[in-house]
Amino acid sequence: MSAPAPLSVRVLNQGRYEAETMLRNGEQLILAVVLPLLGLLALSVTPVLDAYGESRIDTAAPGILALCALSTAFTGQGIATGFDRRYGVLRFLSTTPLGRAGLIAGKVIAVLSVLAIQVVLVSAVAVFIGWRPSLPGVPLALVLLVLGAVAFTALGLLVAGTVRPEATLAITNLLWILLAGVGGIILPAASLPSDMEPFVQFLPSAALGDVMRSALIDTQFNLSATLILLAWTILGSLAAVRWFKWS
């Protein structure tokens, strides 16, 4: 009997499989690509963001990139993992040479791979219609976007590993709508009613939106929002490890 492939090869193969599965799923493709692009175009031609900057597209693009992370890492991965758990896929894979750690690593690779495609497509369209980001802030924005993706992946796995798949579908889609609309990811938390702002600014969506806008518009490192995002990453990961059920 031949020995199993090295762990790195197994993880990369699992990540590629997970990414291809996500991209072949029509519903997830709409959530990951079509809706963010439609949101970008809508925000660039309507006066919704006129009060938050001189250029609509410059204000919209960072929030839409943050929305991509929410779509893929939280909603997309949460739904996929929930149904994998229901049909016994997770239980089977956790007993293979891939192992549980390899399976989680593969999912993270898949999320980052799909997110990279989203970033390229959204950025290309945004630049085409006039986006001019702060180039010195781009590397910082990419690092923080990865941090946001890890945070939302952990939260997506937490939901998928603790409730029924049907409930995962409802919860992740509902939270996507709420966070996209009033979660501070596209519109800054400061733009919301005063009684909502203190709560919204501590959400991972608001923190990710704020760090992206700070980096790509003002070329600044938003320390407070980064710490909030980091806290969600750590707490979400610990909670997912503690309560995730494989079957």
Side-chain angles (χ1 to χ4, degrees):
M1 181 181 296
S2 61
L7 179 60
S8 59
V9 174
R10 284 176 269 153
V11 169
L12 289 174
N13 287 337
Q14 181 65 25
R16 181 177 62 183
Y17 166 76
E18 296 262 2
E20 290 175 349
T21 300
M22 293 174 69
L23 292 173
R24 285 198 301 264
N25 186 305
E27 180 181 342
Q28 291 197 30
L29 196 60
I30 291 174
L31 187 67
V33 178
V34 177
L35 290 182
L37 286 176
L38 288 176
L40 180 71
L41 294 174
L43 291 172
S44 67
V45 298
T46 60
V48 175
L49 298 177
D50 284 356
Y52 310 108
E54 297 180 359
S55 169
R56 293 174 183 173
I57 188 63
D58 286 352
T59 305
I64 293 298
L65 291 174
L67 183 65
C68 289
L70 171 65
S71 300
T72 298
F74 180 70
T75 308
Q77 192 56 240
I79 293 172
T81 303
F83 281 96
D84 281 349
R85 175 171 164 247
R86 173 179 181 175
Y87 295 119
V89 175
L90 294 185
R91 181 174 54 190
F92 170 75
L93 289 175
S94 68
T95 63
T96 67
L98 179 66
R100 296 187 176 188
L103 177 61
I104 294 174
K107 287 185 174 295
V108 172
I109 290 175
V111 167
L112 295 180
S113 299
V114 175
L115 181 60
I117 295 173
Q118 291 174 286
V119 169
V120 170
L121 290 175
V122 169
S123 297
V125 173
V127 169
F128 179 76
I129 59 179
W131 183 36
R132 297 297 180 265
S134 170
L135 294 181
V138 169
L140 174 61
L142 291 176
V143 171
L144 294 172
L145 188 62
V146 170
L147 177 62
V150 174
F152 280 118
T153 299
L155 294 172
L157 292 177
L158 175 62
V159 174
T162 54
V163 302
R164 294 170 59 88
E166 294 80 4
T168 298
L169 181 65
I171 291 171
T172 53
N173 279 317
L174 177 61
L175 286 177
W176 186 92
I177 294 172
L178 292 175
L179 294 178
V182 294
I185 200 165
I186 295 177
L187 296 177
S191 67
L192 299 173
S194 58
D195 56 341
M196 293 178 59
E197 181 185 353
F199 301 100
V200 172
Q201 66 180 349
F202 288 105
L203 294 176
S205 52
L208 182 56
D210 286 343
V211 297
M212 293 296 289
R213 282 185 287 271
S214 294
L216 294 173
I217 297 176
D218 303 319
T219 321
Q220 293 180 355
F221 174 59
N222 191 323
L223 178 60
S224 60
T226 300
L227 291 177
I228 292 172
L229 193 60
L230 183 61
W232 276 101
T233 303
I234 295 172
L235 293 176
S237 299
L238 292 175
V241 170
R242 172 64 178 82
W243 287 296
F244 189 90
K245 298 177 182 177
W246 293 83
S247 60

mmCIF file of all heavy atoms in Angstrom, residues 83-128:
data_model
loop_
_atom_site.group_PDB
_atom_site.id
_atom_site.type_symbol
_atom_site.label_atom_id
_atom_site.label_comp_id
_atom_site.label_asym_id
_atom_site.label_seq_id
_atom_site.Cartn_x
_atom_site.Cartn_y
_atom_site.Cartn_z
ATOM 1 N N PHE A 83 -24.159 21.874 4.820
ATOM 2 C CA PHE A 83 -24.710 20.737 4.075
ATOM 3 C C PHE A 83 -23.704 19.596 3.964
ATOM 4 O O PHE A 83 -24.095 18.421 3.906
ATOM 5 C CB PHE A 83 -25.188 21.200 2.695
ATOM 6 C CG PHE A 83 -26.532 21.881 2.759
ATOM 7 C CD1 PHE A 83 -26.634 23.258 2.836
ATOM 8 C CD2 PHE A 83 -27.700 21.134 2.776
ATOM 9 C CE1 PHE A 83 -27.866 23.890 2.919
ATOM 10 C CE2 PHE A 83 -28.945 21.751 2.862
ATOM 11 C CZ PHE A 83 -29.031 23.135 2.936
ATOM 12 N N ASP A 84 -22.402 19.900 3.957
ATOM 13 C CA ASP A 84 -21.401 18.829 4.035
ATOM 14 C C ASP A 84 -21.553 18.063 5.344
ATOM 15 O O ASP A 84 -21.407 16.838 5.389
ATOM 16 C CB ASP A 84 -19.986 19.412 3.955
ATOM 17 C CG ASP A 84 -19.586 19.752 2.525
ATOM 18 O OD1 ASP A 84 -20.307 19.357 1.590
ATOM 19 O OD2 ASP A 84 -18.546 20.415 2.355
ATOM 20 N N ARG A 85 -21.836 18.788 6.405
ATOM 21 C CA ARG A 85 -22.032 18.146 7.705
ATOM 22 C C ARG A 85 -23.288 17.290 7.704
ATOM 23 O O ARG A 85 -23.294 16.168 8.236
ATOM 24 C CB ARG A 85 -22.120 19.237 8.778
ATOM 25 C CG ARG A 85 -22.443 18.746 10.170
ATOM 26 C CD ARG A 85 -22.287 19.874 11.183
ATOM 27 N NE ARG A 85 -22.946 19.541 12.441
ATOM 28 C CZ ARG A 85 -24.010 20.152 12.912
ATOM 29 N NH1 ARG A 85 -24.561 21.160 12.239
ATOM 30 N NH2 ARG A 85 -24.556 19.780 14.045
ATOM 31 N N ARG A 86 -24.347 17.789 7.083
ATOM 32 C CA ARG A 86 -25.614 17.044 7.066
ATOM 33 C C ARG A 86 -25.459 15.712 6.337
ATOM 34 O O ARG A 86 -25.979 14.680 6.803
ATOM 35 C CB ARG A 86 -26.688 17.877 6.386
ATOM 36 C CG ARG A 86 -27.988 17.115 6.184
ATOM 37 C CD ARG A 86 -29.043 17.962 5.545
ATOM 38 N NE ARG A 86 -30.284 17.228 5.388
ATOM 39 C CZ ARG A 86 -31.412 17.768 4.940
ATOM 40 N NH1 ARG A 86 -31.455 19.051 4.625
ATOM 41 N NH2 ARG A 86 -32.505 17.058 4.830
ATOM 42 N N TYR A 87 -24.753 15.712 5.207
ATOM 43 C CA TYR A 87 -24.646 14.505 4.392
ATOM 44 C C TYR A 87 -23.462 13.621 4.777
ATOM 45 O O TYR A 87 -23.146 12.670 4.067
ATOM 46 C CB TYR A 87 -24.564 14.890 2.916
ATOM 47 C CG TYR A 87 -25.823 15.563 2.413
ATOM 48 C CD1 TYR A 87 -25.797 16.863 1.917
ATOM 49 C CD2 TYR A 87 -27.046 14.903 2.465
ATOM 50 C CE1 TYR A 87 -26.952 17.483 1.464
ATOM 51 C CE2 TYR A 87 -28.211 15.522 2.023
ATOM 52 C CZ TYR A 87 -28.156 16.800 1.520
ATOM 53 O OH TYR A 87 -29.314 17.422 1.079
ATOM 54 N N GLY A 88 -22.809 13.923 5.888
ATOM 55 C CA GLY A 88 -21.748 13.057 6.382
ATOM 56 C C GLY A 88 -20.397 13.254 5.737
ATOM 57 O O GLY A 88 -19.470 12.481 6.005
ATOM 58 N N VAL A 89 -20.271 14.257 4.879
ATOM 59 C CA VAL A 89 -18.994 14.493 4.194
ATOM 60 C C VAL A 89 -17.905 14.869 5.188
ATOM 61 O O VAL A 89 -16.774 14.371 5.113
ATOM 62 C CB VAL A 89 -19.151 15.594 3.120
ATOM 63 C CG1 VAL A 89 -17.798 15.914 2.488
ATOM 64 C CG2 VAL A 89 -20.150 15.160 2.055
ATOM 65 N N LEU A 90 -18.231 15.748 6.132
ATOM 66 C CA LEU A 90 -17.231 16.173 7.111
ATOM 67 C C LEU A 90 -16.773 15.008 7.974
ATOM 68 O O LEU A 90 -15.582 14.860 8.255
ATOM 69 C CB LEU A 90 -17.800 17.281 7.999
ATOM 70 C CG LEU A 90 -18.109 18.617 7.330
ATOM 71 C CD1 LEU A 90 -18.552 19.631 8.377
ATOM 72 C CD2 LEU A 90 -16.910 19.147 6.573
ATOM 73 N N ARG A 91 -17.706 14.187 8.408
ATOM 74 C CA ARG A 91 -17.353 13.044 9.257
ATOM 75 C C ARG A 91 -16.440 12.084 8.508
ATOM 76 O O ARG A 91 -15.476 11.562 9.079
ATOM 77 C CB ARG A 91 -18.633 12.325 9.700
ATOM 78 C CG ARG A 91 -18.379 11.137 10.610
ATOM 79 C CD ARG A 91 -19.686 10.582 11.125
ATOM 80 N NE ARG A 91 -20.590 10.270 10.013
ATOM 81 C CZ ARG A 91 -21.871 9.950 10.171
ATOM 82 N NH1 ARG A 91 -22.392 9.935 11.391
ATOM 83 N NH2 ARG A 91 -22.621 9.683 9.130
ATOM 84 N N PHE A 92 -16.717 11.881 7.220
ATOM 85 C CA PHE A 92 -15.877 10.993 6.418
ATOM 86 C C PHE A 92 -14.479 11.587 6.225
ATOM 87 O O PHE A 92 -13.467 10.917 6.432
ATOM 88 C CB PHE A 92 -16.533 10.749 5.055
ATOM 89 C CG PHE A 92 -15.638 10.042 4.083
ATOM 90 C CD1 PHE A 92 -15.388 8.687 4.195
ATOM 91 C CD2 PHE A 92 -15.022 10.745 3.048
ATOM 92 C CE1 PHE A 92 -14.536 8.036 3.303
ATOM 93 C CE2 PHE A 92 -14.195 10.105 2.151
ATOM 94 C CZ PHE A 92 -13.944 8.746 2.277
ATOM 95 N N LEU A 93 -14.414 12.859 5.848
ATOM 96 C CA LEU A 93 -13.120 13.478 5.575
ATOM 97 C C LEU A 93 -12.258 13.592 6.824
ATOM 98 O O LEU A 93 -11.025 13.542 6.742
ATOM 99 C CB LEU A 93 -13.324 14.866 4.958
ATOM 100 C CG LEU A 93 -13.844 14.888 3.522
ATOM 101 C CD1 LEU A 93 -14.108 16.326 3.067
ATOM 102 C CD2 LEU A 93 -12.851 14.208 2.566
ATOM 103 N N SER A 94 -12.893 13.752 7.987
ATOM 104 C CA SER A 94 -12.122 13.886 9.223
ATOM 105 C C SER A 94 -11.413 12.594 9.601
ATOM 106 O O SER A 94 -10.502 12.607 10.436
ATOM 107 C CB SER A 94 -13.025 14.333 10.366
ATOM 108 O OG SER A 94 -13.951 13.313 10.705
ATOM 109 N N THR A 95 -11.823 11.457 8.995
ATOM 110 C CA THR A 95 -11.185 10.171 9.294
ATOM 111 C C THR A 95 -10.157 9.775 8.245
ATOM 112 O O THR A 95 -9.502 8.744 8.386
ATOM 113 C CB THR A 95 -12.251 9.066 9.388
ATOM 114 O OG1 THR A 95 -12.901 8.918 8.111
ATOM 115 C CG2 THR A 95 -13.294 9.403 10.435
ATOM 116 N N THR A 96 -10.003 10.549 7.188
ATOM 117 C CA THR A 96 -9.037 10.265 6.136
ATOM 118 C C THR A 96 -7.668 10.842 6.522
ATOM 119 O O THR A 96 -7.549 11.581 7.508
ATOM 120 C CB THR A 96 -9.487 10.885 4.805
ATOM 121 O OG1 THR A 96 -9.439 12.314 4.922
ATOM 122 C CG2 THR A 96 -10.909 10.442 4.458
ATOM 123 N N PRO A 97 -6.616 10.530 5.737
ATOM 124 C CA PRO A 97 -5.300 11.128 6.031
ATOM 125 C C PRO A 97 -5.299 12.652 6.008
ATOM 126 O O PRO A 97 -4.384 13.270 6.555
ATOM 127 C CB PRO A 97 -4.417 10.570 4.901
ATOM 128 C CG PRO A 97 -5.050 9.262 4.544
ATOM 129 C CD PRO A 97 -6.532 9.499 4.688
ATOM 130 N N LEU A 98 -6.318 13.255 5.387
ATOM 131 C CA LEU A 98 -6.406 14.720 5.393
ATOM 132 C C LEU A 98 -6.525 15.236 6.820
ATOM 133 O O LEU A 98 -5.879 16.225 7.189
ATOM 134 C CB LEU A 98 -7.606 15.184 4.566
ATOM 135 C CG LEU A 98 -7.856 16.688 4.499
ATOM 136 C CD1 LEU A 98 -6.732 17.380 3.753
ATOM 137 C CD2 LEU A 98 -9.197 16.982 3.833
ATOM 138 N N GLY A 99 -7.347 14.575 7.637
ATOM 139 C CA GLY A 99 -7.508 14.985 9.025
ATOM 140 C C GLY A 99 -8.364 16.222 9.180
ATOM 141 O O GLY A 99 -8.658 16.930 8.214
ATOM 142 N N ARG A 100 -8.744 16.503 10.405
ATOM 143 C CA ARG A 100 -9.608 17.647 10.674
ATOM 144 C C ARG A 100 -8.868 18.957 10.435
ATOM 145 O O ARG A 100 -9.418 19.895 9.864
ATOM 146 C CB ARG A 100 -10.132 17.582 12.103
ATOM 147 C CG ARG A 100 -11.034 16.377 12.357
ATOM 148 C CD ARG A 100 -11.663 16.429 13.729
ATOM 149 N NE ARG A 100 -12.589 15.315 13.921
ATOM 150 C CZ ARG A 100 -13.397 15.188 14.962
ATOM 151 N NH1 ARG A 100 -13.387 16.111 15.910
ATOM 152 N NH2 ARG A 100 -14.206 14.156 15.065
ATOM 153 N N ALA A 101 -7.609 19.032 10.890
ATOM 154 C CA ALA A 101 -6.836 20.261 10.691
ATOM 155 C C ALA A 101 -6.625 20.528 9.207
ATOM 156 O O ALA A 101 -6.723 21.665 8.742
ATOM 157 C CB ALA A 101 -5.491 20.165 11.410
ATOM 158 N N GLY A 102 -6.361 19.474 8.445
ATOM 159 C CA GLY A 102 -6.171 19.636 7.009
ATOM 160 C C GLY A 102 -7.437 20.073 6.316
ATOM 161 O O GLY A 102 -7.405 20.875 5.373
ATOM 162 N N LEU A 103 -8.577 19.568 6.785
ATOM 163 C CA LEU A 103 -9.855 19.956 6.207
ATOM 164 C C LEU A 103 -10.129 21.443 6.436
ATOM 165 O O LEU A 103 -10.532 22.168 5.517
ATOM 166 C CB LEU A 103 -10.979 19.125 6.823
ATOM 167 C CG LEU A 103 -12.406 19.453 6.380
ATOM 168 C CD1 LEU A 103 -12.567 19.241 4.891
ATOM 169 C CD2 LEU A 103 -13.415 18.608 7.156
ATOM 170 N N ILE A 104 -9.897 21.915 7.654
ATOM 171 C CA ILE A 104 -10.109 23.333 7.954
ATOM 172 C C ILE A 104 -9.146 24.197 7.143
ATOM 173 O O ILE A 104 -9.536 25.226 6.582
ATOM 174 C CB ILE A 104 -9.938 23.587 9.464
ATOM 175 C CG1 ILE A 104 -11.056 22.877 10.231
ATOM 176 C CG2 ILE A 104 -9.942 25.081 9.763
ATOM 177 C CD1 ILE A 104 -10.901 22.935 11.733
ATOM 178 N N ALA A 105 -7.889 23.771 7.048
ATOM 179 C CA ALA A 105 -6.906 24.526 6.262
ATOM 180 C C ALA A 105 -7.321 24.581 4.792
ATOM 181 O O ALA A 105 -7.163 25.611 4.123
ATOM 182 C CB ALA A 105 -5.528 23.896 6.399
ATOM 183 N N GLY A 106 -7.858 23.478 4.292
ATOM 184 C CA GLY A 106 -8.323 23.459 2.906
ATOM 185 C C GLY A 106 -9.464 24.429 2.674
ATOM 186 O O GLY A 106 -9.531 25.099 1.634
ATOM 187 N N LYS A 107 -10.355 24.537 3.647
ATOM 188 C CA LYS A 107 -11.472 25.480 3.532
ATOM 189 C C LYS A 107 -10.965 26.920 3.539
ATOM 190 O O LYS A 107 -11.487 27.774 2.815
ATOM 191 C CB LYS A 107 -12.482 25.247 4.656
ATOM 192 C CG LYS A 107 -13.308 23.980 4.477
ATOM 193 C CD LYS A 107 -14.378 23.846 5.543
ATOM 194 C CE LYS A 107 -15.274 22.643 5.258
ATOM 195 N NZ LYS A 107 -16.051 22.808 4.011
ATOM 196 N N VAL A 108 -9.977 27.207 4.365
ATOM 197 C CA VAL A 108 -9.410 28.557 4.394
ATOM 198 C C VAL A 108 -8.762 28.883 3.051
ATOM 199 O O VAL A 108 -8.927 29.994 2.517
ATOM 200 C CB VAL A 108 -8.378 28.682 5.541
ATOM 201 C CG1 VAL A 108 -7.644 30.017 5.446
ATOM 202 C CG2 VAL A 108 -9.069 28.557 6.886
ATOM 203 N N ILE A 109 -8.036 27.934 2.483
ATOM 204 C CA ILE A 109 -7.418 28.143 1.173
ATOM 205 C C ILE A 109 -8.480 28.398 0.115
ATOM 206 O O ILE A 109 -8.327 29.267 -0.753
ATOM 207 C CB ILE A 109 -6.549 26.920 0.795
ATOM 208 C CG1 ILE A 109 -5.305 26.872 1.679
ATOM 209 C CG2 ILE A 109 -6.151 26.976 -0.685
ATOM 210 C CD1 ILE A 109 -4.462 25.641 1.471
ATOM 211 N N ALA A 110 -9.582 27.638 0.171
ATOM 212 C CA ALA A 110 -10.665 27.823 -0.799
ATOM 213 C C ALA A 110 -11.263 29.216 -0.693
ATOM 214 O O ALA A 110 -11.496 29.893 -1.701
ATOM 215 C CB ALA A 110 -11.742 26.763 -0.580
ATOM 216 N N VAL A 111 -11.505 29.666 0.538
ATOM 217 C CA VAL A 111 -12.076 30.995 0.748
ATOM 218 C C VAL A 111 -11.137 32.068 0.186
ATOM 219 O O VAL A 111 -11.565 32.980 -0.528
ATOM 220 C CB VAL A 111 -12.337 31.245 2.250
ATOM 221 C CG1 VAL A 111 -12.615 32.722 2.511
ATOM 222 C CG2 VAL A 111 -13.518 30.407 2.719
ATOM 223 N N LEU A 112 -9.858 31.963 0.493
ATOM 224 C CA LEU A 112 -8.903 32.965 0.023
ATOM 225 C C LEU A 112 -8.749 32.920 -1.494
ATOM 226 O O LEU A 112 -8.553 33.964 -2.135
ATOM 227 C CB LEU A 112 -7.549 32.753 0.702
ATOM 228 C CG LEU A 112 -7.527 32.970 2.221
ATOM 229 C CD1 LEU A 112 -6.126 32.717 2.773
ATOM 230 C CD2 LEU A 112 -7.995 34.377 2.585
ATOM 231 N N SER A 113 -8.846 31.741 -2.086
ATOM 232 C CA SER A 113 -8.740 31.622 -3.546
ATOM 233 C C SER A 113 -9.920 32.303 -4.236
ATOM 234 O O SER A 113 -9.745 33.066 -5.188
ATOM 235 C CB SER A 113 -8.682 30.144 -3.951
ATOM 236 O OG SER A 113 -7.550 29.508 -3.395
ATOM 237 N N VAL A 114 -11.133 32.024 -3.750
ATOM 238 C CA VAL A 114 -12.319 32.656 -4.332
ATOM 239 C C VAL A 114 -12.300 34.160 -4.065
ATOM 240 O O VAL A 114 -12.651 34.966 -4.942
ATOM 241 C CB VAL A 114 -13.606 32.018 -3.764
ATOM 242 C CG1 VAL A 114 -14.844 32.760 -4.274
ATOM 243 C CG2 VAL A 114 -13.677 30.543 -4.151
ATOM 244 N N LEU A 115 -11.856 34.551 -2.870
ATOM 245 C CA LEU A 115 -11.779 35.971 -2.541
ATOM 246 C C LEU A 115 -10.802 36.693 -3.469
ATOM 247 O O LEU A 115 -11.050 37.828 -3.875
ATOM 248 C CB LEU A 115 -11.360 36.150 -1.086
ATOM 249 C CG LEU A 115 -11.264 37.593 -0.573
ATOM 250 C CD1 LEU A 115 -12.614 38.298 -0.700
ATOM 251 C CD2 LEU A 115 -10.794 37.611 0.878
ATOM 252 N N ALA A 116 -9.700 36.036 -3.819
ATOM 253 C CA ALA A 116 -8.736 36.644 -4.738
ATOM 254 C C ALA A 116 -9.371 36.926 -6.095
ATOM 255 O O ALA A 116 -9.143 37.983 -6.706
ATOM 256 C CB ALA A 116 -7.519 35.733 -4.898
ATOM 257 N N ILE A 117 -10.191 35.980 -6.568
ATOM 258 C CA ILE A 117 -10.893 36.184 -7.845
ATOM 259 C C ILE A 117 -11.869 37.348 -7.721
ATOM 260 O O ILE A 117 -11.968 38.200 -8.614
ATOM 261 C CB ILE A 117 -11.635 34.890 -8.249
ATOM 262 C CG1 ILE A 117 -10.619 33.771 -8.524
ATOM 263 C CG2 ILE A 117 -12.513 35.127 -9.473
ATOM 264 C CD1 ILE A 117 -11.253 32.416 -8.764
ATOM 265 N N GLN A 118 -12.590 37.401 -6.611
ATOM 266 C CA GLN A 118 -13.532 38.502 -6.384
ATOM 267 C C GLN A 118 -12.809 39.850 -6.390
ATOM 268 O O GLN A 118 -13.274 40.816 -6.996
ATOM 269 C CB GLN A 118 -14.243 38.318 -5.039
ATOM 270 C CG GLN A 118 -15.208 37.163 -4.974
ATOM 271 C CD GLN A 118 -15.751 36.986 -3.563
ATOM 272 O OE1 GLN A 118 -15.044 36.503 -2.676
ATOM 273 N NE2 GLN A 118 -16.984 37.389 -3.347
ATOM 274 N N VAL A 119 -11.688 39.919 -5.684
ATOM 275 C CA VAL A 119 -10.943 41.179 -5.585
ATOM 276 C C VAL A 119 -10.484 41.642 -6.955
ATOM 277 O O VAL A 119 -10.585 42.827 -7.303
ATOM 278 C CB VAL A 119 -9.745 41.015 -4.631
ATOM 279 C CG1 VAL A 119 -8.804 42.218 -4.730
ATOM 280 C CG2 VAL A 119 -10.226 40.854 -3.197
ATOM 281 N N VAL A 120 -9.984 40.716 -7.769
ATOM 282 C CA VAL A 120 -9.520 41.074 -9.106
ATOM 283 C C VAL A 120 -10.671 41.593 -9.962
ATOM 284 O O VAL A 120 -10.555 42.635 -10.622
ATOM 285 C CB VAL A 120 -8.843 39.861 -9.781
ATOM 286 C CG1 VAL A 120 -8.574 40.151 -11.260
ATOM 287 C CG2 VAL A 120 -7.536 39.518 -9.077
ATOM 288 N N LEU A 121 -11.803 40.881 -9.948
ATOM 289 C CA LEU A 121 -12.942 41.278 -10.773
ATOM 290 C C LEU A 121 -13.536 42.611 -10.316
ATOM 291 O O LEU A 121 -13.759 43.520 -11.135
ATOM 292 C CB LEU A 121 -14.019 40.191 -10.736
ATOM 293 C CG LEU A 121 -13.698 38.879 -11.456
ATOM 294 C CD1 LEU A 121 -14.812 37.864 -11.226
ATOM 295 C CD2 LEU A 121 -13.511 39.116 -12.947
ATOM 296 N N VAL A 122 -13.778 42.740 -9.017
ATOM 297 C CA VAL A 122 -14.372 43.975 -8.496
ATOM 298 C C VAL A 122 -13.428 45.150 -8.710
ATOM 299 O O VAL A 122 -13.857 46.240 -9.114
ATOM 300 C CB VAL A 122 -14.722 43.815 -7.006
ATOM 301 C CG1 VAL A 122 -15.088 45.163 -6.389
ATOM 302 C CG2 VAL A 122 -15.876 42.833 -6.840
ATOM 303 N N SER A 123 -12.146 44.949 -8.456
ATOM 304 C CA SER A 123 -11.177 46.034 -8.623
ATOM 305 C C SER A 123 -11.079 46.456 -10.081
ATOM 306 O O SER A 123 -10.990 47.658 -10.381
ATOM 307 C CB SER A 123 -9.804 45.602 -8.111
ATOM 308 O OG SER A 123 -9.840 45.319 -6.731
ATOM 309 N N ALA A 124 -11.097 45.482 -10.986
ATOM 310 C CA ALA A 124 -11.001 45.803 -12.415
ATOM 311 C C ALA A 124 -12.200 46.641 -12.858
ATOM 312 O O ALA A 124 -12.043 47.643 -13.564
ATOM 313 C CB ALA A 124 -10.908 44.520 -13.231
ATOM 314 N N VAL A 125 -13.398 46.226 -12.446
ATOM 315 C CA VAL A 125 -14.598 46.980 -12.810
ATOM 316 C C VAL A 125 -14.566 48.363 -12.167
ATOM 317 O O VAL A 125 -14.907 49.373 -12.809
ATOM 318 C CB VAL A 125 -15.867 46.213 -12.392
ATOM 319 C CG1 VAL A 125 -17.111 47.070 -12.608
ATOM 320 C CG2 VAL A 125 -15.989 44.910 -13.177
ATOM 321 N N ALA A 126 -14.153 48.433 -10.902
ATOM 322 C CA ALA A 126 -14.106 49.718 -10.201
ATOM 323 C C ALA A 126 -13.123 50.679 -10.859
ATOM 324 O O ALA A 126 -13.420 51.867 -11.039
ATOM 325 C CB ALA A 126 -13.737 49.497 -8.735
ATOM 326 N N VAL A 127 -11.947 50.182 -11.218
ATOM 327 C CA VAL A 127 -10.953 51.032 -11.900
ATOM 328 C C VAL A 127 -11.483 51.494 -13.242
ATOM 329 O O VAL A 127 -11.285 52.648 -13.658
ATOM 330 C CB VAL A 127 -9.621 50.270 -12.045
ATOM 331 C CG1 VAL A 127 -8.669 51.023 -12.980
ATOM 332 C CG2 VAL A 127 -8.966 50.071 -10.686
ATOM 333 N N PHE A 128 -12.178 50.604 -13.938
ATOM 334 C CA PHE A 128 -12.723 50.942 -15.257
ATOM 335 C C PHE A 128 -13.719 52.095 -15.172
ATOM 336 O O PHE A 128 -13.794 52.930 -16.074
ATOM 337 C CB PHE A 128 -13.392 49.715 -15.869
ATOM 338 C CG PHE A 128 -14.003 49.965 -17.218
ATOM 339 C CD1 PHE A 128 -13.208 50.070 -18.351
ATOM 340 C CD2 PHE A 128 -15.383 50.109 -17.353
ATOM 341 C CE1 PHE A 128 -13.778 50.315 -19.602
ATOM 342 C CE2 PHE A 128 -15.956 50.348 -18.591
ATOM 343 C CZ PHE A 128 -15.143 50.454 -19.726
#
